[in-house]
Amino acid sequence: MFGQSHSGGSDSASSPSGGRAISSSVAANTAYIQQLLGSPTDLLIREFGAGPRKHRLVLVSIDGLADKTVLNDDVLGVIQSGDWLQQTSLPDAGEAVLDALHHEVLAINGIERIATMDEAVLNILSGNSALFVEGATQALALSSQGWKSRGVEEPQTEALIRGPREGFTEDMRVNTALLRRRLRDPNLRMDSIQIGRRSKKDVVIAYIQGIVHPGLVKEVKRRIGTIDVDDPEGSGFIEQWIMDSFLSPFPQILNTERPDKTTAALTQGKVAIIVDGTPFTLVLPITIGSLVQSPEDYYTDWIISTLMRILRFIAAFLATFLPALYIALVEYHQGMIPSKLAFSIAGSREGVPFPAVIEASLMEVTLEVLREAGVRLPRPIGQTIGIVGGLVIGEAAVAAGIVSPIMVIVVSITAISSFALPSYAFATSLRIIRFGVMMAAAAFGLYGIVLAYIMINIHIVNLKSFGIPFSTPFAPFFRGDWKDLVVRAPVTLLTRRPQMMQTTDEVRMDTHEGK
């Protein structure tokens, strides 16, 4: 189920293996690094002698990536104190000095021996430091990452009324720490890999061993392993690369800024992909029900949560079909409109020179342009443009007789409905589908809407997310998963994990009934 084929990319991702060996001459090593990097101004090379025997050492790092406090206090300060050399009878051999630095002197948590210059350069460009010793054919890679990063803040795209206010950042280690703080399970696995020929971007695949289906983890690693490009630009690039169907407008992988949403998905048997340099974590697989669920559903009473979910399903329907229904009723099926409402619509459209489909298309395109302008502009200006621009343009269009007031109401309800959906990607996909449904309604009326609805359902039924049918648990039908779909059952009844995930451990709550 999780092992279906996926086309695209090459066979494997690049990895630093082999390469030029480290020379016993520190001068040759530093010259090679300078030549390889082009002698950049931010390359820091500190050459010094330590102890009464003046052992020659070189510390190489990148300014801005390495923490200078760590280098000055925990590396240079300790080595140049000379106490460790005076208290030991070390020979002049560089290997002995390197071994003493590794096991007795340096008190840095992350320290390892490296044997090639490729490893040394990769560590330097990753924010670590490389320590070379004259006469030694190995070097020490020291953990000294300390670049500036944004602090933990409230997610901008997934705000909640009731719930935690912390979100992921661009620092991958901060993100993994947020997950481990919430999920203190020793079975939580975080497998690290590097992708990108030139960027060597760090990626973490997170899952809970003993819950997740092993085939799912294997398939995720296989698809990520096919990425063989210079620089996979963030999680969005990876999402597009590993998704099942790139022709579908629906998102097949969920992106989120919320650690609580990610940990909840992990406990359900899903997999999370954390990419260094982006605050958006990928969660997979997903279904269409996942796109209308919000973390806030579990922080409030089940009755309120159920009502909110029902409203979201109604909002998804309105965002997709409301303009098309208006076009079909006004153009083809006027007899289906109640008499008083029909007279009101006819009176409001008196003098409008365009048919309903042109009228709706003009307003929808204008709304989309305003929405994009509000996103791209600075936040204070963007909010003003979105609100004032919509009011002014709508009122001016009605006064000029280009559109009818009822059309402005229809477009406004459609826009508000799309904002009610918790997934921005899902709301965007509905915006795309909306125009196709409008064209079908303009051509065939209600019959066109029915045909478009059938085609959308056929597409959803045939769509998969890592082997899981996108229409689950509607089709295929899983009765147990309906407890957390449209209706969010009380938490005491959510005793089992989703059946569609085929988890190794199906029970997530022990009750007195043993369920």
Side-chain angles (χ1 to χ4, degrees):
M1 186 175 185
F2 295 107
Q4 298 187 1
S5 62
H6 176 73
S7 61
S10 58
D11 295 335
S12 61
S14 60
S15 61
S17 60
R20 172 175 173 146
I22 292 178
S23 171
S24 58
S25 170
V26 294
N29 294 331
T30 54
Y32 174 79
I33 294 175
Q34 287 178 316
Q35 180 183 5
L36 184 64
L37 300 183
S39 299
T41 56
D42 58 350
L43 180 64
L44 301 179
I45 300 177
R46 178 71 166 88
E47 184 175 347
F48 58 97
R53 300 175 184 175
K54 298 300 179 183
H55 292 280
R56 191 180 179 192
L57 290 82
V58 171
L59 182 66
V60 184
S61 61
I62 295 291
D63 188 17
L65 295 182
D67 190 341
K68 292 184 178 180
T69 302
V70 173
L71 297 180
N72 294 334
D73 298 343
D74 299 336
V75 180
L76 294 174
V78 173
I79 294 177
Q80 290 191 305
S81 65
D83 296 338
W84 60 282
L85 287 170
Q86 296 175 2
Q87 296 174 2
T88 58
S89 57
L90 286 177
D92 292 333
E95 297 292 345
V97 176
L98 187 73
D99 188 69
L101 289 171
H102 185 194
H103 296 290
E104 301 176 13
V105 180
L106 296 177
I108 297 178
N109 287 329
I111 181 171
E112 64 174 344
R113 292 196 181 206
I114 52 178
T116 66
M117 291 302 297
D118 289 345
E119 293 177 293
V121 171
L122 181 58
N123 273 278
I124 293 171
L125 295 178
S126 300
N128 297 325
S129 305
L131 180 62
F132 300 95
V133 179
E134 185 71 28
T137 56
Q138 289 185 326
L140 295 179
L142 310 177
S143 178
S144 59
Q145 294 176 343
W147 54 74
K148 299 295 183 182
S149 61
R150 180 172 61 93
V152 177
E153 301 173 353
E154 183 176 0
Q156 298 297 317
T157 60
E158 297 175 279
L160 299 181
I161 297 177
R162 182 177 180 180
R165 303 294 189 216
E166 57 186 12
F168 290 124
T169 69
E170 289 75 13
D171 193 330
M172 188 180 66
R173 285 307 161 204
V174 173
N175 298 340
T176 56
L178 289 173
L179 292 182
R180 288 199 179 275
R181 196 186 69 165
R182 290 184 166 275
L183 203 59
R184 302 170 187 176
D185 189 344
N187 294 315
L188 176 60
R189 300 289 182 261
M190 293 190 179
D191 300 339
S192 299
I193 58 176
Q194 285 186 336
I195 58 176
R197 294 178 180 178
R198 299 183 181 275
S199 64
K200 299 296 188 297
K201 193 178 295 293
D202 293 319
V203 176
V204 167
I205 302 173
Y207 57 93
I208 301 179
Q209 189 174 9
I211 295 181
V212 68
H213 191 289
L216 175 59
V217 179
K218 183 178 180 180
E219 178 67 9
V220 171
K221 292 182 178 180
R222 186 193 69 81
R223 294 192 188 185
I224 294 181
T226 63
I227 300 177
D228 188 20
V229 296
D230 288 341
D231 179 23
E233 301 174 359
S235 60
F237 183 96
I238 298 175
E239 177 184 357
Q240 298 174 62
W241 188 285
I242 66 177
M243 67 170 51
D244 287 66
S245 175
F246 64 89
L247 296 175
S248 174
F250 292 102
Q252 300 145 55
I253 299 174
L254 188 66
N255 61 81
T256 178
E257 290 185 86
R258 302 196 63 87
D260 56 337
K261 193 172 184 177
T262 306
T263 54
L266 293 176
T267 58
Q268 291 180 346
K270 298 182 181 181
V271 175
I273 301 176
I274 307 169
V275 184
D276 191 24
T278 175
F280 290 94
T281 295
L282 304 179
V283 174
L284 55 94
I286 63 172
T287 64
I288 192 168
S290 306
L291 300 175
V292 295
Q293 295 176 355
S294 171
E296 198 168 18
D297 295 343
Y298 304 94
Y299 299 138
T300 56
D301 183 75
W302 72 275
I303 299 177
I304 300 175
S305 300
T306 300
L307 175 61
M308 293 298 104
R309 285 191 181 179
I310 294 174
L311 289 177
R312 293 188 202 119
F313 276 100
I314 295 175
F317 179 84
L318 294 177
T320 308
F321 295 102
L322 183 59
L325 285 172
Y326 173 80
I327 294 171
L329 293 177
V330 170
E331 295 290 339
Y332 291 93
H333 310 284
Q334 298 89 347
M336 297 182 63
I337 307 175
S339 301
K340 292 185 178 180
L341 180 60
F343 293 146
S344 176
I345 294 176
S348 65
R349 297 197 74 250
E350 185 178 0
V352 175
F354 303 113
V357 60
I358 301 298
E359 184 185 6
S361 299
L362 287 174
M363 290 303 299
E364 288 290 347
V365 171
T366 303
L367 177 66
E368 297 300 330
V369 172
L370 283 173
R371 189 190 317 228
E372 286 300 312
V375 172
R376 309 303 168 203
L377 290 173
R379 184 172 299 176
I381 303 177
Q383 293 177 351
T384 304
I385 291 294
I387 298 174
V388 177
L391 293 174
V392 171
I393 293 178
E395 185 176 353
V398 172
I402 298 177
V403 297
S404 61
I406 187 67
M407 187 70 251
V408 176
I409 295 175
V410 169
V411 172
S412 301
I413 294 175
T414 304
I416 294 172
S417 299
S418 64
F419 291 141
L421 300 175
S423 173
Y424 177 78
F426 182 50
T428 304
S429 66
L430 295 184
R431 288 158 56 187
I432 298 173
I433 296 173
R434 181 193 309 153
F435 287 96
V437 179
M438 287 168 55
M439 295 301 105
F444 304 105
L446 286 178
Y447 300 104
I449 297 177
V450 173
L451 288 175
Y453 178 76
I454 293 174
M455 293 175 63
I456 293 172
N457 279 276
I458 292 174
H459 174 69
I460 291 176
V461 169
N462 285 278
L463 193 61
K464 291 186 177 181
S465 175
F466 281 80
I468 298 293
F470 197 63
S471 57
T472 309
F474 296 101
F477 179 76
F478 291 98
R479 184 176 61 181
D481 293 350
W482 277 72
K483 294 180 180 179
D484 195 14
L485 186 60
V486 180
V487 175
R488 203 278 282 172
V491 292
T492 54
L493 299 181
L494 302 177
T495 58
R496 293 187 175 273
R497 308 183 204 279
Q499 292 177 279
M500 63 180 178
M501 294 304 304
Q502 301 181 8
T503 55
T504 306
D505 181 10
E506 297 181 357
V507 179
R508 64 177 177 182
M509 182 187 305
D510 291 330
T511 62
H512 295 291
E513 290 79 14
K515 296 182 180 180

